[in-house]
Amino acid sequence: MGTLNMGGRFFKSEELELIEQRRLEALLEITTKHSEEVQSLKAQVEQANSKAAKANNQIKSLDKDLKNLRSENPDRMKKQIKRLQEQNRAMTSENNTLKSKQKQLQQQLDAAKMELDKFKAEEKEAEVA
């Protein structure tokens, strides 16, 4: 005995069983492929989560380093300011010393010029006389 299909054709029960078996095989194949894809996607998600966790830990570590550098920076700046102030004092002192030497040398030069002018004047008087 057979079953009537929508197309008006009769199928035998063996044919129906074969069709059903092929349907089940196709469904099983699709399910297997789907499961494999799901497993693959799960593995990708786990890898991405692992990478994200590593990146998060690295960010936290870098944040700690940055905070340490920021907290140490004022001390470093204070030391650098003190060093620069000491250099400034030393250079100012040296500058003042050089200024006073320059003033002395200028006075000596002026005195030498006056003496030279005096000798020249005396020489001219001697020539005239």
Side-chain angles (χ1 to χ4, degrees):
M1 211 163 160
T3 316
L4 183 64
N5 192 1
M6 286 188 66
R9 181 171 177 235
F10 286 99
F11 289 102
K12 293 182 183 175
S13 52
E14 293 96 26
E15 288 178 334
L16 287 176
E17 286 178 18
L18 185 63
I19 292 172
E20 189 63 27
Q21 184 179 359
R22 286 183 185 158
R23 238 187 246 164
L24 288 174
E25 287 173 359
L27 184 59
L28 183 61
E29 185 180 336
I30 290 170
T31 304
T32 304
K33 284 182 182 179
H34 176 72
S35 295
E36 289 172 0
E37 286 183 34
V38 167
Q39 289 300 323
S40 172
L41 291 174
K42 280 184 181 179
Q44 288 177 6
V45 167
E46 287 176 8
Q47 287 177 344
N49 284 337
S50 174
K51 287 180 183 179
K54 285 180 184 177
N56 196 20
N57 289 338
Q58 192 175 15
I59 288 171
K60 286 179 183 179
S61 173
L62 291 173
D63 278 343
K64 285 180 183 178
D65 290 346
L66 181 61
K67 285 179 184 178
N68 286 338
L69 288 174
R70 283 184 178 162
S71 66
E72 291 172 3
N73 196 27
D75 293 338
R76 199 181 296 161
M77 292 299 286
K78 286 177 186 177
K79 288 177 184 176
Q80 188 174 8
I81 288 170
K82 282 184 180 181
R83 183 178 51 81
L84 290 173
Q85 285 174 338
E86 288 174 13
Q87 284 179 350
N88 190 26
R89 281 188 212 109
M91 288 182 173
T92 302
S93 173
E94 186 179 345
N95 191 23
N96 289 335
T97 304
L98 291 173
K99 281 182 181 179
S100 60
K101 276 188 178 181
Q102 182 185 9
K103 192 174 182 179
Q104 278 181 334
L105 291 172
Q106 187 65 42
Q107 286 174 349
Q108 287 176 355
L109 180 64
D110 290 343
K113 279 183 181 178
M114 284 176 52
E115 196 172 326
L116 180 64
D117 288 342
K118 186 178 177 184
F119 283 135
K120 283 182 180 178
E122 287 176 5
E123 197 175 281
K124 279 186 182 179
E125 283 179 19
E127 285 178 6
V128 174

Short mmCIF file of all heavy atoms in Angstrom, two decimals, residues 10 13 17 29 37-39 45 48 57-58 70 75 78-79 81 83 100 111 115 117-118 123 127:
data_model
loop_
_atom_site.label_atom_id
_atom_site.label_comp_id
_atom_site.label_asym_id
_atom_site.label_seq_id
_atom_site.Cartn_x
_atom_site.Cartn_y
_atom_site.Cartn_z
N PHE A 10 1.92 8.19 -5.95
CA PHE A 10 1.91 7.29 -4.82
C PHE A 10 3.33 6.85 -4.50
O PHE A 10 4.12 6.57 -5.39
CB PHE A 10 1.05 6.06 -5.12
CG PHE A 10 -0.41 6.35 -5.09
CD1 PHE A 10 -1.13 6.57 -6.26
CD2 PHE A 10 -1.09 6.39 -3.87
CE1 PHE A 10 -2.48 6.85 -6.23
CE2 PHE A 10 -2.44 6.66 -3.86
CZ PHE A 10 -3.14 6.89 -5.03
N SER A 13 6.05 2.51 1.02
CA SER A 13 6.59 2.75 2.35
C SER A 13 8.11 2.62 2.36
O SER A 13 8.80 3.32 3.10
CB SER A 13 5.95 1.82 3.38
OG SER A 13 6.01 0.49 2.97
N GLU A 17 10.50 5.51 3.65
CA GLU A 17 11.56 5.29 4.64
C GLU A 17 12.90 5.78 4.13
O GLU A 17 13.68 6.41 4.86
CB GLU A 17 11.65 3.80 5.00
CG GLU A 17 10.53 3.32 5.87
CD GLU A 17 10.61 1.81 6.16
OE1 GLU A 17 11.70 1.23 5.98
OE2 GLU A 17 9.59 1.26 6.57
N GLU A 29 23.76 15.95 9.24
CA GLU A 29 24.92 16.64 8.67
C GLU A 29 24.87 18.13 8.98
O GLU A 29 25.87 18.74 9.38
CB GLU A 29 24.98 16.40 7.16
CG GLU A 29 26.21 16.97 6.50
CD GLU A 29 26.22 16.70 5.00
OE1 GLU A 29 25.57 15.75 4.55
OE2 GLU A 29 26.89 17.48 4.30
N GLU A 37 30.63 24.70 13.85
CA GLU A 37 30.74 26.16 13.75
C GLU A 37 30.56 26.81 15.12
O GLU A 37 31.29 27.75 15.47
CB GLU A 37 29.71 26.71 12.77
CG GLU A 37 30.05 26.43 11.33
CD GLU A 37 29.04 27.05 10.37
OE1 GLU A 37 28.51 28.14 10.66
OE2 GLU A 37 28.79 26.43 9.32
N VAL A 38 29.60 26.30 15.90
CA VAL A 38 29.37 26.84 17.23
C VAL A 38 30.62 26.64 18.10
O VAL A 38 31.06 27.56 18.80
CB VAL A 38 28.12 26.21 17.89
CG1 VAL A 38 28.05 26.52 19.37
CG2 VAL A 38 26.86 26.69 17.20
N GLN A 39 31.22 25.45 18.03
CA GLN A 39 32.44 25.17 18.80
C GLN A 39 33.59 26.10 18.35
O GLN A 39 34.33 26.63 19.18
CB GLN A 39 32.86 23.71 18.63
CG GLN A 39 31.95 22.73 19.33
CD GLN A 39 31.87 22.97 20.82
OE1 GLN A 39 32.84 23.32 21.46
NE2 GLN A 39 30.67 22.82 21.38
N VAL A 45 35.69 33.11 20.74
CA VAL A 45 35.24 34.00 21.82
C VAL A 45 36.14 33.84 23.05
O VAL A 45 36.54 34.82 23.68
CB VAL A 45 33.75 33.74 22.18
CG1 VAL A 45 33.37 34.41 23.47
CG2 VAL A 45 32.85 34.21 21.06
N ALA A 48 39.39 35.53 22.34
CA ALA A 48 39.22 36.98 22.41
C ALA A 48 39.10 37.43 23.86
O ALA A 48 39.68 38.45 24.25
CB ALA A 48 37.99 37.41 21.61
N ASN A 57 44.90 43.47 32.02
CA ASN A 57 45.97 43.39 33.03
C ASN A 57 47.14 44.29 32.65
O ASN A 57 47.73 44.96 33.51
CB ASN A 57 46.45 41.95 33.20
CG ASN A 57 45.43 41.09 33.90
OD1 ASN A 57 44.56 41.59 34.61
ND2 ASN A 57 45.51 39.78 33.69
N GLN A 58 47.47 44.31 31.38
CA GLN A 58 48.57 45.16 30.92
C GLN A 58 48.21 46.64 31.12
O GLN A 58 49.05 47.43 31.54
CB GLN A 58 48.85 44.87 29.44
CG GLN A 58 50.14 45.49 28.93
CD GLN A 58 50.43 45.07 27.50
OE1 GLN A 58 49.56 44.56 26.80
NE2 GLN A 58 51.65 45.29 27.07
N ARG A 70 54.14 59.66 37.94
CA ARG A 70 53.56 60.97 38.27
C ARG A 70 53.85 61.34 39.71
O ARG A 70 54.09 62.50 40.02
CB ARG A 70 52.06 60.96 38.02
CG ARG A 70 51.70 61.07 36.57
CD ARG A 70 50.22 61.14 36.36
NE ARG A 70 49.90 61.29 34.95
CZ ARG A 70 48.72 61.05 34.44
NH1 ARG A 70 47.73 60.67 35.22
NH2 ARG A 70 48.50 61.21 33.16
N ASP A 75 59.27 65.09 42.99
CA ASP A 75 60.57 64.99 43.67
C ASP A 75 61.70 65.23 42.69
O ASP A 75 62.66 65.95 42.98
CB ASP A 75 60.73 63.60 44.31
CG ASP A 75 59.76 63.37 45.46
OD1 ASP A 75 59.27 64.38 46.02
OD2 ASP A 75 59.49 62.21 45.78
N LYS A 78 61.80 68.90 41.86
CA LYS A 78 62.36 69.71 42.95
C LYS A 78 63.89 69.62 42.95
O LYS A 78 64.58 70.63 43.10
CB LYS A 78 61.81 69.24 44.30
CG LYS A 78 60.38 69.65 44.54
CD LYS A 78 59.87 69.10 45.86
CE LYS A 78 58.39 69.38 46.03
NZ LYS A 78 57.86 68.80 47.26
N LYS A 79 64.41 68.40 42.76
CA LYS A 79 65.85 68.21 42.70
C LYS A 79 66.46 68.98 41.53
O LYS A 79 67.51 69.61 41.66
CB LYS A 79 66.20 66.73 42.60
CG LYS A 79 65.95 65.95 43.87
CD LYS A 79 66.24 64.48 43.68
CE LYS A 79 65.88 63.69 44.95
NZ LYS A 79 66.06 62.26 44.75
N ILE A 81 65.19 71.62 40.07
CA ILE A 81 65.09 73.05 40.35
C ILE A 81 66.21 73.48 41.28
O ILE A 81 66.86 74.52 41.06
CB ILE A 81 63.70 73.39 40.94
CG1 ILE A 81 62.64 73.29 39.84
CG2 ILE A 81 63.69 74.78 41.56
CD1 ILE A 81 61.21 73.37 40.33
N ARG A 83 69.15 72.06 41.68
CA ARG A 83 70.40 72.00 40.94
C ARG A 83 70.54 73.22 40.03
O ARG A 83 71.60 73.87 39.99
CB ARG A 83 70.45 70.72 40.10
CG ARG A 83 71.75 70.52 39.34
CD ARG A 83 71.77 69.21 38.56
NE ARG A 83 70.61 69.00 37.72
CZ ARG A 83 70.44 69.54 36.51
NH1 ARG A 83 71.35 70.33 36.00
NH2 ARG A 83 69.36 69.27 35.79
N SER A 100 83.53 92.90 38.01
CA SER A 100 84.45 93.72 38.81
C SER A 100 85.85 93.71 38.20
O SER A 100 86.54 94.74 38.18
CB SER A 100 84.46 93.30 40.27
OG SER A 100 84.88 91.98 40.41
N ALA A 111 93.48 104.90 33.02
CA ALA A 111 94.65 105.51 33.65
C ALA A 111 95.83 105.47 32.68
O ALA A 111 96.59 106.46 32.55
CB ALA A 111 95.00 104.79 34.94
N GLU A 115 97.81 108.63 31.09
CA GLU A 115 99.26 108.74 31.21
C GLU A 115 99.90 108.89 29.83
O GLU A 115 100.82 109.69 29.64
CB GLU A 115 99.82 107.52 31.94
CG GLU A 115 101.22 107.71 32.44
CD GLU A 115 101.66 106.55 33.32
OE1 GLU A 115 100.82 105.97 34.04
OE2 GLU A 115 102.85 106.23 33.26
N ASP A 117 98.41 110.09 27.16
CA ASP A 117 98.08 111.43 26.68
C ASP A 117 99.01 112.47 27.33
O ASP A 117 99.46 113.42 26.68
CB ASP A 117 96.61 111.77 26.96
CG ASP A 117 95.66 111.01 26.06
OD1 ASP A 117 96.11 110.49 25.02
OD2 ASP A 117 94.44 110.92 26.40
N LYS A 118 99.29 112.25 28.62
CA LYS A 118 100.16 113.16 29.36
C LYS A 118 101.57 113.11 28.77
O LYS A 118 102.20 114.16 28.55
CB LYS A 118 100.18 112.75 30.84
CG LYS A 118 100.91 113.69 31.74
CD LYS A 118 100.79 113.16 33.16
CE LYS A 118 101.59 114.02 34.12
NZ LYS A 118 101.55 113.49 35.48
N GLU A 123 105.76 115.41 25.45
CA GLU A 123 106.65 115.23 24.32
C GLU A 123 106.48 116.38 23.33
O GLU A 123 107.46 116.91 22.79
CB GLU A 123 106.34 113.89 23.65
CG GLU A 123 107.42 113.40 22.75
CD GLU A 123 107.11 112.03 22.22
OE1 GLU A 123 107.30 111.02 22.95
OE2 GLU A 123 106.65 111.93 21.06
N GLU A 127 109.21 119.11 22.20
CA GLU A 127 109.57 119.35 20.80
C GLU A 127 109.41 120.83 20.48
O GLU A 127 110.16 121.40 19.70
CB GLU A 127 108.66 118.53 19.88
CG GLU A 127 108.99 117.07 19.84
CD GLU A 127 108.03 116.30 18.93
OE1 GLU A 127 107.18 116.90 18.25
OE2 GLU A 127 108.14 115.06 18.93
#
